[in-house]
Amino acid sequence: MDKNIAILEVAIKEAARQGAHIIVTPEDGIYGWVFTRETIYPYLEDIPDPQVDWNPCADSGRFGPTPVLERLSCLARNNSIYVVANMGDKKPCNSSDPRCPSDGRYQYNTNVVFDSEGKLVARYHKYNLFVTEKQFNYPKDPQFVTFNTSFGYFGIFTCADILYHDPAVALASGFQVDTILFPTAWSNTLPLLSAVQFHSAWAMGMGVNFLSANTHNSTLYMTGSGIYAPGGPRAYYYNTETENGHLLVTELSSHPRLSPDYPAAVDWKLYASRIKKPPPNSHYFSGVIYDDLFSFTELTEPEGSRAVCQQNLCCHLSYKMAEKQKDDIYVLGAFDGLHVVEGEYYLQICTLLKCRSTDLNTCGEPVETAQTKFEMFSLSGTFGTNYVFPEVLYSGVQLAPGEFEVLTDGRLISRTSTSKPVLSVTLFGRWYEKDPPHTEQASP
Protein backbone atom coordinates (compact mmCIF):
# COMPACT_ATOMS: atom_id res chain seq x y z
CA MET A 1 0.00 0.00 0.00
CA ASP A 2 2.89 2.34 0.74
CA LYS A 3 4.16 1.90 -2.83
CA ASN A 4 0.73 2.75 -4.24
CA ILE A 5 0.26 5.75 -1.95
CA ALA A 6 3.72 6.97 -3.01
CA ILE A 7 2.45 7.04 -6.61
CA LEU A 8 -0.67 8.91 -5.51
CA GLU A 9 1.55 11.31 -3.53
CA VAL A 10 3.40 12.37 -6.68
CA ALA A 11 0.08 13.11 -8.40
CA ILE A 12 -1.32 14.95 -5.36
CA LYS A 13 1.77 17.18 -5.08
CA GLU A 14 1.73 17.93 -8.81
CA ALA A 15 -1.99 18.72 -8.80
CA ALA A 16 -1.50 21.08 -5.86
CA ARG A 17 1.46 22.71 -7.64
CA GLN A 18 -0.81 23.38 -10.62
CA GLY A 19 -3.34 25.06 -8.34
CA ALA A 20 -5.97 22.30 -8.11
CA HIS A 21 -8.47 22.57 -5.24
CA ILE A 22 -9.37 18.86 -5.22
CA ILE A 23 -7.99 15.59 -6.57
CA VAL A 24 -9.78 12.26 -7.11
CA THR A 25 -7.79 9.00 -7.07
CA PRO A 26 -8.95 5.61 -8.45
CA GLU A 27 -11.04 2.87 -6.89
CA ASP A 28 -8.83 0.05 -5.55
CA GLY A 29 -5.86 2.37 -6.13
CA ILE A 30 -4.35 1.77 -2.69
CA TYR A 31 -4.59 -2.02 -2.21
CA GLY A 32 -5.57 -3.55 -5.60
CA TRP A 33 -8.49 -5.95 -5.99
CA VAL A 34 -7.73 -9.69 -6.12
CA PHE A 35 -9.00 -10.54 -2.65
CA THR A 36 -11.20 -12.80 -0.62
CA ARG A 37 -13.01 -11.55 2.44
CA GLU A 38 -10.20 -12.86 4.63
CA THR A 39 -7.20 -11.70 2.61
CA ILE A 40 -8.39 -8.09 2.36
CA TYR A 41 -9.09 -7.85 6.09
CA PRO A 42 -5.54 -6.78 7.14
CA TYR A 43 -5.77 -3.80 4.76
CA LEU A 44 -9.01 -2.44 6.23
CA GLU A 45 -9.22 0.39 8.75
CA ASP A 46 -12.09 1.35 11.05
CA ILE A 47 -13.11 4.66 9.44
CA PRO A 48 -15.18 6.85 11.78
CA ASP A 49 -18.18 8.94 10.80
CA PRO A 50 -16.87 12.39 9.75
CA GLN A 51 -19.16 13.95 12.36
CA VAL A 52 -16.53 13.05 14.97
CA ASP A 53 -14.56 16.08 13.66
CA TRP A 54 -11.21 14.37 13.20
CA ASN A 55 -7.96 15.33 11.51
CA PRO A 56 -5.87 12.12 11.42
CA CYS A 57 -2.70 14.00 10.50
CA ALA A 58 -2.92 16.26 13.54
CA ASP A 59 -4.44 13.67 15.90
CA SER A 60 -3.10 10.25 14.98
CA GLY A 61 -4.11 7.18 16.91
CA ARG A 62 -7.41 8.60 18.17
CA PHE A 63 -9.31 5.72 16.56
CA GLY A 64 -6.74 2.96 16.84
CA PRO A 65 -4.21 2.12 14.12
CA THR A 66 -5.14 4.05 10.97
CA PRO A 67 -1.93 4.41 8.93
CA VAL A 68 -3.67 4.89 5.56
CA LEU A 69 -6.08 7.51 6.86
CA GLU A 70 -3.21 9.34 8.54
CA ARG A 71 -1.06 9.35 5.44
CA LEU A 72 -3.89 10.57 3.19
CA SER A 73 -4.81 13.24 5.72
CA CYS A 74 -1.22 14.51 5.83
CA LEU A 75 -1.03 14.54 2.03
CA ALA A 76 -4.11 16.77 1.97
CA ARG A 77 -2.86 18.99 4.79
CA ASN A 78 0.75 19.34 3.62
CA ASN A 79 -0.31 20.21 0.07
CA SER A 80 -3.41 22.28 0.96
CA ILE A 81 -5.66 20.26 -1.35
CA TYR A 82 -8.84 18.19 -0.92
CA VAL A 83 -8.01 14.50 -1.44
CA VAL A 84 -10.54 11.83 -2.48
CA ALA A 85 -9.39 8.23 -2.06
CA ASN A 86 -10.86 4.72 -2.09
CA MET A 87 -10.04 2.22 0.65
CA GLY A 88 -11.66 -0.42 2.86
CA ASP A 89 -13.70 0.13 6.04
CA LYS A 90 -14.41 -2.47 8.73
CA LYS A 91 -17.21 -2.30 11.28
CA PRO A 92 -17.67 -4.88 14.06
CA CYS A 93 -21.14 -6.35 14.61
CA ASN A 94 -22.66 -9.18 16.64
CA SER A 95 -25.42 -11.75 16.52
CA SER A 96 -28.01 -9.29 17.83
CA ASP A 97 -27.87 -7.83 14.30
CA PRO A 98 -29.58 -10.34 11.95
CA ARG A 99 -27.51 -9.02 9.02
CA CYS A 100 -24.17 -9.46 10.80
CA PRO A 101 -21.81 -11.71 8.81
CA SER A 102 -20.62 -14.87 10.55
CA ASP A 103 -17.11 -13.45 11.02
CA GLY A 104 -18.53 -10.63 13.13
CA ARG A 105 -17.75 -7.68 10.92
CA TYR A 106 -18.98 -5.68 7.96
CA GLN A 107 -16.45 -4.83 5.25
CA TYR A 108 -17.20 -1.91 2.96
CA ASN A 109 -15.74 -0.54 -0.26
CA THR A 110 -15.29 3.04 0.94
CA ASN A 111 -14.47 6.50 -0.39
CA VAL A 112 -12.99 9.06 1.99
CA VAL A 113 -12.51 12.80 1.49
CA PHE A 114 -10.07 15.01 3.38
CA ASP A 115 -10.25 18.79 3.23
CA SER A 116 -7.23 21.00 2.55
CA GLU A 117 -6.33 21.00 6.25
CA GLY A 118 -6.45 17.20 6.48
CA LYS A 119 -9.81 16.85 8.22
CA LEU A 120 -12.01 13.87 7.30
CA VAL A 121 -15.10 15.46 5.73
CA ALA A 122 -16.84 12.57 3.93
CA ARG A 123 -17.11 8.77 4.06
CA TYR A 124 -19.15 6.78 1.54
CA HIS A 125 -19.83 3.02 1.49
CA LYS A 126 -20.38 1.70 -2.06
CA TYR A 127 -24.00 0.57 -2.46
CA ASN A 128 -23.94 -1.21 -5.84
CA LEU A 129 -21.09 -3.67 -5.60
CA PHE A 130 -19.90 -5.27 -8.84
CA VAL A 131 -20.52 -9.03 -9.01
CA THR A 132 -16.86 -9.86 -8.34
CA GLU A 133 -16.62 -7.89 -5.07
CA LYS A 134 -17.24 -10.81 -2.72
CA GLN A 135 -14.81 -9.35 -0.18
CA PHE A 136 -17.25 -6.54 0.66
CA ASN A 137 -20.73 -6.21 2.17
CA TYR A 138 -23.60 -4.14 0.86
CA PRO A 139 -24.55 -1.33 3.24
CA LYS A 140 -28.10 -1.71 4.55
CA ASP A 141 -29.31 1.44 2.77
CA PRO A 142 -27.84 3.73 0.15
CA GLN A 143 -25.88 6.66 1.57
CA PHE A 144 -26.29 10.11 0.03
CA VAL A 145 -22.94 11.66 0.88
CA THR A 146 -22.41 15.34 0.13
CA PHE A 147 -20.13 18.10 1.40
CA ASN A 148 -19.90 21.82 0.79
CA THR A 149 -16.78 23.80 -0.08
CA SER A 150 -15.95 27.34 -1.14
CA PHE A 151 -15.73 25.94 -4.69
CA GLY A 152 -19.02 24.08 -4.96
CA TYR A 153 -21.31 21.40 -3.54
CA PHE A 154 -20.03 17.84 -4.02
CA GLY A 155 -21.53 14.34 -4.08
CA ILE A 156 -19.63 11.07 -4.15
CA PHE A 157 -20.19 7.51 -5.36
CA THR A 158 -18.20 4.63 -6.87
CA CYS A 159 -17.95 2.72 -10.15
CA ALA A 160 -21.06 0.50 -10.69
CA ASP A 161 -23.17 2.98 -8.68
CA ILE A 162 -23.41 5.09 -11.86
CA LEU A 163 -25.66 2.45 -13.46
CA TYR A 164 -28.41 2.76 -10.81
CA HIS A 165 -30.75 5.39 -9.38
CA ASP A 166 -29.42 5.39 -5.82
CA PRO A 167 -27.30 7.14 -4.87
CA ALA A 168 -26.19 8.51 -8.25
CA VAL A 169 -29.32 10.09 -9.72
CA ALA A 170 -30.56 11.15 -6.28
CA LEU A 171 -27.38 13.16 -5.70
CA ALA A 172 -27.45 14.85 -9.11
CA SER A 173 -31.14 15.64 -9.44
CA GLY A 174 -32.46 15.48 -5.87
CA PHE A 175 -29.60 16.96 -3.87
CA GLN A 176 -28.60 19.14 -6.86
CA VAL A 177 -24.87 18.78 -6.29
CA ASP A 178 -22.58 20.74 -8.62
CA THR A 179 -19.93 18.07 -9.01
CA ILE A 180 -19.74 14.28 -8.67
CA LEU A 181 -16.51 12.66 -7.44
CA PHE A 182 -16.12 9.18 -8.89
CA PRO A 183 -13.32 6.73 -8.07
CA THR A 184 -13.65 3.73 -10.38
CA ALA A 185 -12.00 0.54 -11.62
CA TRP A 186 -13.93 0.39 -14.88
CA SER A 187 -13.40 -2.34 -17.47
CA ASN A 188 -14.21 -0.88 -20.86
CA THR A 189 -17.16 -2.67 -22.43
CA LEU A 190 -17.47 -1.47 -26.01
CA PRO A 191 -19.43 -0.55 -28.01
CA LEU A 192 -21.61 1.38 -25.51
CA LEU A 193 -19.98 1.26 -22.07
CA SER A 194 -16.38 2.36 -22.32
CA ALA A 195 -15.41 4.60 -19.41
CA VAL A 196 -14.82 7.93 -21.17
CA GLN A 197 -17.88 7.43 -23.37
CA PHE A 198 -20.41 6.59 -20.66
CA HIS A 199 -19.11 8.83 -17.88
CA SER A 200 -19.03 11.91 -20.11
CA ALA A 201 -22.55 11.07 -21.35
CA TRP A 202 -23.83 10.71 -17.78
CA ALA A 203 -22.41 14.12 -16.85
CA MET A 204 -24.16 15.67 -19.84
CA GLY A 205 -27.45 13.84 -19.28
CA MET A 206 -27.54 14.72 -15.57
CA GLY A 207 -26.20 18.26 -15.97
CA VAL A 208 -23.33 17.99 -13.48
CA ASN A 209 -19.56 18.22 -13.39
CA PHE A 210 -18.07 14.74 -13.10
CA LEU A 211 -14.53 13.85 -11.98
CA SER A 212 -13.80 10.24 -12.96
CA ALA A 213 -10.54 8.63 -11.81
CA ASN A 214 -10.12 5.18 -13.35
CA THR A 215 -7.57 2.55 -12.41
CA HIS A 216 -5.12 1.90 -15.28
CA ASN A 217 -4.70 -1.79 -16.07
CA SER A 218 -4.69 -2.62 -19.78
CA THR A 219 -4.87 -6.40 -19.31
CA LEU A 220 -8.23 -5.88 -17.59
CA TYR A 221 -9.32 -3.26 -20.18
CA MET A 222 -9.20 -0.58 -17.49
CA THR A 223 -8.31 2.84 -18.84
CA GLY A 224 -10.15 6.10 -19.35
CA SER A 225 -10.32 8.91 -16.84
CA GLY A 226 -11.87 12.31 -17.37
CA ILE A 227 -13.07 15.66 -16.11
CA TYR A 228 -16.48 16.23 -17.65
CA ALA A 229 -18.82 19.23 -17.63
CA PRO A 230 -22.54 19.36 -18.51
CA GLY A 231 -21.56 20.74 -21.92
CA GLY A 232 -18.99 18.04 -22.68
CA PRO A 233 -15.55 16.71 -21.73
CA ARG A 234 -12.94 19.21 -20.48
CA ALA A 235 -10.04 16.75 -20.23
CA TYR A 236 -9.78 13.00 -20.64
CA TYR A 237 -7.22 10.25 -21.08
CA TYR A 238 -7.56 6.87 -22.80
CA ASN A 239 -4.48 4.74 -23.36
CA THR A 240 -4.22 1.00 -23.93
CA GLU A 241 -0.61 1.15 -25.15
CA THR A 242 1.22 1.69 -21.84
CA GLU A 243 0.64 1.06 -18.15
CA ASN A 244 1.55 4.61 -17.15
CA GLY A 245 -0.91 6.63 -15.17
CA HIS A 246 -1.76 10.20 -16.11
CA LEU A 247 -2.75 13.28 -14.13
CA LEU A 248 -5.59 15.40 -15.56
CA VAL A 249 -5.94 18.99 -14.37
CA THR A 250 -8.45 21.51 -15.68
CA GLU A 251 -10.75 24.31 -14.59
CA LEU A 252 -14.52 23.86 -14.16
CA SER A 253 -17.41 26.12 -13.26
CA SER A 254 -18.00 25.67 -9.49
CA HIS A 255 -21.76 26.08 -9.94
CA PRO A 256 -22.57 24.88 -13.48
CA ARG A 257 -26.35 25.28 -13.00
CA LEU A 258 -25.86 29.04 -12.64
CA SER A 259 -23.86 29.45 -15.83
CA PRO A 260 -25.61 31.06 -18.84
CA ASP A 261 -24.77 28.14 -21.17
CA TYR A 262 -26.20 25.46 -18.82
CA PRO A 263 -28.12 22.99 -21.01
CA ALA A 264 -31.93 23.38 -21.08
CA ALA A 265 -34.22 20.54 -20.01
CA VAL A 266 -34.89 17.97 -22.74
CA ASP A 267 -38.15 16.21 -23.64
CA TRP A 268 -36.46 13.05 -24.87
CA LYS A 269 -39.39 11.65 -26.85
CA LEU A 270 -40.84 14.87 -28.31
CA TYR A 271 -39.30 14.75 -31.78
CA ALA A 272 -39.45 10.98 -32.32
CA SER A 273 -43.05 10.63 -31.12
CA ARG A 274 -44.21 12.99 -33.89
CA ILE A 275 -42.84 10.67 -36.58
CA LYS A 276 -45.20 8.02 -37.91
CA LYS A 277 -44.26 4.61 -36.58
CA PRO A 278 -42.57 2.65 -39.37
CA PRO A 279 -44.27 -0.52 -40.64
CA PRO A 280 -42.74 -3.81 -39.46
CA ASN A 281 -39.59 -4.24 -41.46
CA SER A 282 -38.37 -7.51 -42.93
CA HIS A 283 -34.85 -6.02 -43.06
CA TYR A 284 -34.46 -6.05 -39.28
CA PHE A 285 -31.99 -8.53 -37.88
CA SER A 286 -30.83 -9.31 -34.35
CA GLY A 287 -27.47 -8.80 -32.74
CA VAL A 288 -26.04 -8.88 -29.25
CA ILE A 289 -24.46 -6.00 -27.31
CA TYR A 290 -23.21 -6.91 -23.81
CA ASP A 291 -25.65 -9.85 -23.70
CA ASP A 292 -28.67 -7.75 -24.75
CA LEU A 293 -30.54 -8.71 -27.93
CA PHE A 294 -30.83 -5.61 -30.13
CA SER A 295 -32.91 -5.13 -33.27
CA PHE A 296 -30.75 -3.76 -36.09
CA THR A 297 -31.25 -2.34 -39.56
CA GLU A 298 -28.31 -1.76 -41.90
CA LEU A 299 -27.50 1.68 -43.34
CA THR A 300 -27.18 0.47 -46.93
CA GLU A 301 -26.96 3.94 -48.51
CA PRO A 302 -24.39 6.69 -47.88
CA GLU A 303 -27.19 9.01 -46.78
CA GLY A 304 -30.84 8.79 -45.82
CA SER A 305 -33.23 8.07 -42.98
CA ARG A 306 -33.71 4.86 -41.05
CA ALA A 307 -35.95 3.64 -38.25
CA VAL A 308 -35.93 0.54 -36.07
CA CYS A 309 -38.31 -0.43 -33.26
CA GLN A 310 -38.24 -2.85 -30.37
CA GLN A 311 -41.09 -3.14 -27.85
CA ASN A 312 -42.23 0.45 -27.22
CA LEU A 313 -39.02 2.12 -28.40
CA CYS A 314 -38.69 3.39 -31.96
CA CYS A 315 -35.34 4.89 -32.97
CA HIS A 316 -35.09 7.36 -35.82
CA LEU A 317 -31.92 8.38 -37.65
CA SER A 318 -31.15 10.85 -40.43
CA TYR A 319 -27.57 10.77 -41.63
CA LYS A 320 -25.09 11.56 -44.36
CA MET A 321 -21.71 9.85 -44.58
CA ALA A 322 -18.83 11.94 -45.91
CA GLU A 323 -17.45 9.05 -47.92
CA LYS A 324 -18.51 5.54 -47.02
CA GLN A 325 -15.56 3.19 -46.84
CA LYS A 326 -16.47 -0.17 -48.30
CA ASP A 327 -15.23 -2.14 -45.28
CA ASP A 328 -17.30 -0.09 -42.84
CA ILE A 329 -20.79 -1.45 -42.19
CA TYR A 330 -23.07 0.69 -40.00
CA VAL A 331 -26.38 -0.23 -38.39
CA LEU A 332 -29.11 1.50 -36.45
CA GLY A 333 -30.06 -0.50 -33.35
CA ALA A 334 -32.77 -0.47 -30.69
CA PHE A 335 -33.04 -2.24 -27.34
CA ASP A 336 -35.93 -1.93 -24.90
CA GLY A 337 -35.63 -4.40 -22.03
CA LEU A 338 -34.03 -5.58 -18.81
CA HIS A 339 -30.28 -6.10 -18.83
CA VAL A 340 -29.49 -9.10 -16.62
CA VAL A 341 -25.73 -9.79 -16.84
CA GLU A 342 -23.34 -8.40 -14.19
CA GLY A 343 -26.22 -6.43 -12.68
CA GLU A 344 -29.93 -6.00 -13.47
CA TYR A 345 -31.22 -2.71 -14.86
CA TYR A 346 -33.79 -1.61 -17.45
CA LEU A 347 -32.46 -0.05 -20.66
CA GLN A 348 -33.87 1.82 -23.63
CA ILE A 349 -31.12 2.39 -26.19
CA CYS A 350 -30.96 3.86 -29.68
CA THR A 351 -27.57 3.50 -31.34
CA LEU A 352 -25.86 4.08 -34.67
CA LEU A 353 -22.78 1.90 -34.66
CA LYS A 354 -20.08 0.40 -36.82
CA CYS A 355 -19.98 -3.39 -37.07
CA ARG A 356 -16.71 -5.16 -36.29
CA SER A 357 -16.45 -6.49 -39.85
CA THR A 358 -18.48 -6.70 -43.07
CA ASP A 359 -20.20 -9.78 -41.60
CA LEU A 360 -23.53 -8.59 -40.11
CA ASN A 361 -23.16 -11.22 -37.39
CA THR A 362 -20.41 -9.06 -35.86
CA CYS A 363 -22.68 -6.04 -35.39
CA GLY A 364 -22.63 -5.13 -31.69
CA GLU A 365 -19.25 -6.71 -31.01
CA PRO A 366 -16.49 -4.44 -29.62
CA VAL A 367 -14.60 -2.45 -32.26
CA GLU A 368 -12.08 0.35 -31.72
CA THR A 369 -11.39 1.72 -35.20
CA ALA A 370 -13.39 3.01 -38.16
CA GLN A 371 -12.69 4.80 -41.45
CA THR A 372 -15.97 6.58 -42.24
CA LYS A 373 -16.68 10.18 -41.26
CA PHE A 374 -20.21 11.60 -41.21
CA GLU A 375 -21.27 14.97 -42.63
CA MET A 376 -24.31 14.93 -40.38
CA PHE A 377 -26.40 12.76 -38.08
CA SER A 378 -29.61 13.23 -36.11
CA LEU A 379 -30.72 10.47 -33.72
CA SER A 380 -33.91 10.35 -31.63
CA GLY A 381 -36.18 7.83 -29.94
CA THR A 382 -39.61 7.40 -28.35
CA PHE A 383 -38.19 7.06 -24.84
CA GLY A 384 -40.39 6.23 -21.87
CA THR A 385 -37.78 7.63 -19.48
CA ASN A 386 -36.37 11.13 -18.88
CA TYR A 387 -32.95 9.73 -18.08
CA VAL A 388 -31.06 9.52 -21.35
CA PHE A 389 -27.29 9.84 -21.76
CA PRO A 390 -25.93 11.07 -25.13
CA GLU A 391 -22.76 9.38 -26.39
CA VAL A 392 -20.64 10.12 -29.46
CA LEU A 393 -17.53 7.98 -29.88
CA TYR A 394 -14.91 8.36 -32.58
CA SER A 395 -12.30 5.96 -33.95
CA GLY A 396 -9.62 5.11 -31.42
CA VAL A 397 -12.17 5.42 -28.59
CA GLN A 398 -11.98 9.21 -28.70
CA LEU A 399 -14.63 11.69 -27.59
CA ALA A 400 -16.07 14.50 -29.70
CA PRO A 401 -16.11 17.64 -27.53
CA GLY A 402 -18.07 20.48 -29.11
CA GLU A 403 -19.01 18.49 -32.21
CA PHE A 404 -22.55 17.50 -31.21
CA GLU A 405 -25.47 18.79 -29.18
CA VAL A 406 -28.79 17.68 -27.77
CA LEU A 407 -31.86 19.68 -28.81
CA THR A 408 -34.70 20.24 -26.35
CA ASP A 409 -36.95 17.99 -28.49
CA GLY A 410 -34.68 15.00 -27.81
CA ARG A 411 -32.55 14.93 -30.97
CA LEU A 412 -28.84 14.19 -30.69
CA ILE A 413 -27.37 16.06 -33.67
CA SER A 414 -23.96 16.76 -35.14
CA ARG A 415 -22.90 20.41 -35.14
CA THR A 416 -20.31 19.96 -37.88
CA SER A 417 -18.89 17.23 -40.04
CA THR A 418 -17.21 14.74 -37.71
CA SER A 419 -13.49 15.41 -37.29
CA LYS A 420 -12.77 11.68 -37.03
CA PRO A 421 -14.42 8.47 -38.26
CA VAL A 422 -17.43 7.37 -36.20
CA LEU A 423 -17.60 4.29 -33.98
CA SER A 424 -21.02 5.00 -32.46
CA VAL A 425 -23.68 7.63 -31.77
CA THR A 426 -25.96 6.58 -28.95
CA LEU A 427 -28.87 7.65 -26.80
CA PHE A 428 -28.42 5.45 -23.72
CA GLY A 429 -31.66 5.48 -21.71
CA ARG A 430 -32.14 4.15 -18.19
CA TRP A 431 -35.68 3.46 -17.01
CA TYR A 432 -35.12 3.23 -13.25
CA GLU A 433 -38.77 2.62 -12.33
CA LYS A 434 -38.61 -0.72 -14.17
CA ASP A 435 -35.55 -1.96 -12.27
CA PRO A 436 -35.90 -4.97 -9.96
CA PRO A 437 -35.29 -4.31 -6.24
CA HIS A 438 -31.71 -3.77 -5.09
CA THR A 439 -29.95 -7.11 -4.54
CA GLU A 440 -28.62 -7.39 -1.05
CA GLN A 441 -25.69 -9.76 -0.93
CA ALA A 442 -26.40 -12.84 1.16
CA SER A 443 -24.20 -12.54 4.21
CA PRO A 444 -21.44 -15.15 4.29
Side-chain angles (χ1 to χ4, degrees):
M1 289 203 290
D2 281 338
K3 275 186 186 170
N4 288 331
I5 296 175
I7 292 168
L8 300 182
E9 179 172 1
V10 172
I12 290 165
K13 286 181 170 170
E14 178 57 23
R17 191 188 68 77
Q18 292 189 37
H21 289 81
I22 188 165
I23 182 170
V24 185
T25 61
E27 183 184 21
D28 304 323
I30 291 174
Y31 49 69
W33 54 71
V34 184
F35 288 107
T36 65
R37 196 173 166 79
E38 292 69 37
T39 57
I40 201 171
Y41 180 68
Y43 298 93
L44 308 178
E45 296 185 6
D46 193 338
I47 306 168
D49 187 311
Q51 289 177 328
V52 299
D53 192 20
W54 180 41
N55 186 320
C57 188
D59 186 9
S60 66
R62 178 176 160 194
F63 294 97
T66 50
V68 173
L69 288 169
E70 286 164 29
R71 190 154 175 205
L72 292 168
S73 165
C74 291
L75 283 172
R77 182 184 178 97
N78 296 340
N79 296 286
S80 301
I81 187 173
Y82 277 70
V83 171
V84 182
N86 176 263
M87 56 186 291
D89 190 7
K90 59 183 177 185
K91 288 286 173 277
C93 57
N94 60 43
S95 55
S96 64
D97 172 3
R99 295 178 66 252
C100 183
S102 56
D103 54 15
R105 61 182 184 259
Y106 291 110
Q107 302 186 171
Y108 298 119
N109 178 333
T110 307
N111 296 335
V112 289
V113 184
F114 297 93
D115 72 11
S116 53
E117 292 175 354
K119 182 179 158 185
L120 179 67
V121 293
R123 178 195 68 184
Y124 166 69
H125 294 150
K126 184 177 181 181
Y127 185 56
N128 298 285
L129 296 173
F130 196 60
V131 287
T132 52
E133 294 187 271
K134 303 299 184 199
Q135 69 271 39
F136 291 121
N137 296 102
Y138 287 94
K140 186 162 183 276
D141 299 300
Q143 301 171 339
F144 305 101
V145 175
T146 63
F147 61 96
N148 239 321
T149 71
S150 59
F151 51 92
Y153 183 40
F154 290 83
I156 187 162
F157 56 83
T158 312
C159 205
D161 282 330
I162 195 175
L163 293 165
Y164 301 89
H165 187 277
D166 289 341
V169 175
L171 287 172
S173 56
F175 287 79
Q176 298 263 302
V177 298
D178 298 307
T179 301
I180 294 290
L181 307 169
F182 184 72
T184 185
W186 190 279
S187 285
N188 290 309
T189 310
L190 286 166
L192 304 181
L193 277 172
S194 73
V196 295
Q197 169 190 28
F198 187 65
H199 304 159
S200 62
W202 197 91
M204 187 176 273
M206 296 307 303
V208 290
N209 296 329
F210 195 91
L211 278 56
S212 170
N214 196 5
T215 298
H216 196 143
N217 185 316
S218 297
T219 53
L220 295 171
Y221 307 104
M222 290 179 183
T223 179
S225 297
I227 299 173
Y228 310 115
R234 293 296 169 83
Y236 73 98
Y237 180 73
Y238 177 92
N239 177 350
T240 54
E241 306 302 309
T242 72
E243 288 303 330
N244 299 339
H246 187 77
L247 175 68
L248 294 171
V249 181
T250 193
E251 203 167 279
L252 289 173
S253 166
S254 300
H255 305 286
R257 292 171 211 277
L258 303 180
S259 75
D261 57 352
Y262 187 71
V266 175
D267 181 341
W268 285 104
K269 64 176 177 295
L270 185 60
Y271 182 84
S273 57
R274 292 172 174 164
I275 303 174
K276 192 162 155 274
K277 184 172 177 174
N281 190 326
S282 58
H283 296 297
Y284 287 2
F285 63 99
S286 294
V288 175
I289 299 179
Y290 193 19
D291 297 287
D292 296 322
L293 194 63
F294 277 65
S295 299
F296 288 133
T297 183
E298 185 184 351
L299 311 190
T300 49
E301 301 299 321
E303 64 179 292
S305 295
R306 276 280 187 270
V308 64
C309 302
Q310 187 180 99
Q311 308 280 45
N312 295 312
L313 177 67
C314 285
C315 303
H316 297 274
L317 172 72
S318 300
Y319 69 95
K320 184 176 183 185
M321 298 177 191
E323 192 180 324
K324 185 173 188 299
Q325 305 299 317
K326 67 177 188 324
D327 290 342
D328 280 0
I329 303 291
Y330 286 86
V331 292
L332 174 64
F335 179 74
D336 183 357
L338 186 68
H339 176 85
V340 294
V341 174
E342 297 179 336
E344 294 192 353
Y345 39 88
Y346 199 96
L347 299 173
Q348 284 193 319
I349 296 174
C350 292
T351 183
L352 153 68
L353 57 83
K354 178 189 177 264
C355 302
R356 192 168 60 81
S357 74
T358 53
D359 177 356
L360 292 179
N361 290 317
T362 67
C363 299
E365 293 179 12
V367 56
E368 295 193 10
T369 56
Q371 282 77 46
T372 303
K373 296 180 182 178
F374 280 66
E375 281 186 29
M376 65 78 62
F377 57 77
S378 170
L379 179 66
S380 61
T382 56
F383 292 95
T385 175
N386 290 324
Y387 295 102
V388 180
F389 310 120
E391 304 179 343
V392 176
L393 197 64
Y394 286 168
S395 186
V397 194
Q398 297 299 301
L399 299 180
E403 296 194 19
F404 67 93
E405 63 183 308
V406 173
L407 304 182
T408 55
D409 64 9
R411 279 179 288 172
L412 167 56
I413 64 163
S414 54
R415 280 183 173 152
T416 58
S417 294
T418 66
S419 60
K420 296 188 178 80
V422 171
L423 282 180
S424 60
V425 175
T426 306
L427 290 169
F428 191 107
R430 274 289 284 111
W431 200 334
Y432 300 106
E433 293 84 355
K434 287 181 173 257
D435 286 3
H438 182 264
T439 328
E440 166 123 355
Q441 188 180 36
S443 291

